[in-house]
Amino acid sequence: MIRRPPRSTLSSSSAASDVYKRQHWKIVNNLQVGLICVDYLIHQLIIRINRLLVLYSILYLVGKLLFSLHHIIYHYFFTTKPYLTLFPQLSALSLNTPLPFLEARS
């Protein structure tokens, strides 16, 4: 509760006026401390958001790189067919026939 100087005290240098002035500066100091804390919290939040954005950007670029590598490897594998030099018996197979080792044994 804020104490006000009595109305009968017209002088600005009375003891009651000094108490009022000290209370006023105490409130101002508390507000400044509160604003500093809020400013610090906002600053920390901005730092964390920035870190998340950087991490997201890195993950996005890694995903794009992996996607590109997948396409390069896929197209190389199916256009040049390097596996035929290692396994020539696979050339007789079409994509619609099941692989011999996956057939059900009777």
Side-chain angles (χ1 to χ4, degrees):
M1 181 172 156
I2 298 175
R3 294 178 52 197
R4 307 261 181 223
R7 294 189 184 273
S8 61
T9 309
L10 298 177
S11 171
S12 62
S13 63
S14 69
S17 179
D18 290 343
V19 169
Y20 176 70
K21 287 177 186 173
R22 282 196 304 270
Q23 287 176 344
H24 172 73
W25 285 113
K26 188 176 182 182
I27 291 171
V28 169
N29 286 339
N30 288 342
L31 286 174
Q32 287 175 344
V33 169
L35 289 175
I36 290 171
C37 289
V38 168
D39 184 48
Y40 175 77
L41 291 175
I42 290 173
H43 180 70
Q44 291 298 315
L45 182 64
I46 290 171
I47 288 173
R48 282 173 174 75
I49 289 173
N50 191 15
R51 287 179 184 162
L52 286 174
L53 289 175
V54 168
L55 181 63
Y56 175 78
S57 301
I58 291 170
L59 289 175
Y60 177 78
L61 292 175
V62 167
K64 292 290 271 185
L65 177 67
L66 290 175
F67 187 74
S68 299
L69 286 175
H70 169 266
H71 277 283
I72 291 169
I73 292 169
Y74 179 83
H75 288 295
Y76 170 76
F77 188 75
F78 284 105
T79 55
T80 61
K81 297 183 173 45
Y83 53 87
L84 292 180
T85 58
L86 297 174
F87 306 104
Q89 65 272 20
L90 291 178
S91 63
L93 298 175
S94 70
L95 293 177
N96 295 329
T97 60
L99 294 175
F101 55 86
L102 293 180
E103 290 180 353
R105 300 188 187 259
S106 50

